[in-house]
Amino acid sequence: MIKDKRPVPSVRITNQFRRGKSMVYDFFCKGETRLTVEIAPSEDSTDTFTAAAHARQAPEHPSITELGTTRGEALRAVGRAWAAKNGDVGFPTIDWELVGQALVAVRAIEAAPGLGALA
């Protein structure tokens, strides 16, 4: 019997767990990049969300934290800020559109309206 070989996605969630009020998602991204994303309701009474991301393979664990009115908007803000680093030391190139798609697939964030929402 021949096993069906499916292409391995270039961004995939390898682990997810709760930490207090937040959800943490570990990703394996194309190449050797390991990324952790944490999404939580803000601690204040503004009804906003905080998303934080860091690359685990870099010694200094570069991190970016952003706010948004929804979980998805907070993640998109992190993606824009990360992309603005343009590959600076410790900030590997990440396909944030695929990270967003993976989080939509597990219902962690809402689907963004339109195409290219993380760009």
Side-chain angles (χ1 to χ4, degrees):
M1 186 176 205
I2 297 175
K3 228 179 190 178
D4 182 23
K5 289 190 177 186
R6 295 181 187 167
V8 176
S10 60
V11 172
R12 69 182 196 276
I13 296 173
T14 58
N15 192 19
Q16 57 183 329
F17 57 93
R18 273 204 184 280
R19 181 183 296 147
K21 293 182 179 181
S22 64
M23 280 298 294
V24 180
Y25 304 89
D26 291 328
F27 291 87
F28 179 77
C29 302
K30 187 170 125 182
E32 294 297 315
T33 303
R34 302 226 180 245
L35 178 73
T36 297
V37 174
E38 185 169 350
I39 302 174
S42 294
E43 297 292 321
D44 57 24
S45 61
T46 60
D47 291 331
T48 59
F49 293 88
T50 301
H54 70 269
R56 294 192 328 252
Q57 77 277 6
E60 64 280 353
H61 292 273
S63 181
I64 291 182
T65 302
E66 294 289 337
L67 295 174
T69 55
T70 65
R71 289 174 177 86
E73 184 50 44
L75 177 72
R76 288 185 283 281
V78 166
R80 288 188 297 269
W82 193 286
K85 297 289 184 182
N86 203 21
D88 282 352
V89 176
F91 288 93
T93 301
I94 302 287
D95 188 333
W96 287 97
E97 184 68 34
L98 293 178
V99 170
Q101 288 174 13
L103 289 173
V104 167
V106 296
R107 298 182 187 176
I109 64 171
E110 69 285 349
L115 299 174
L118 290 175

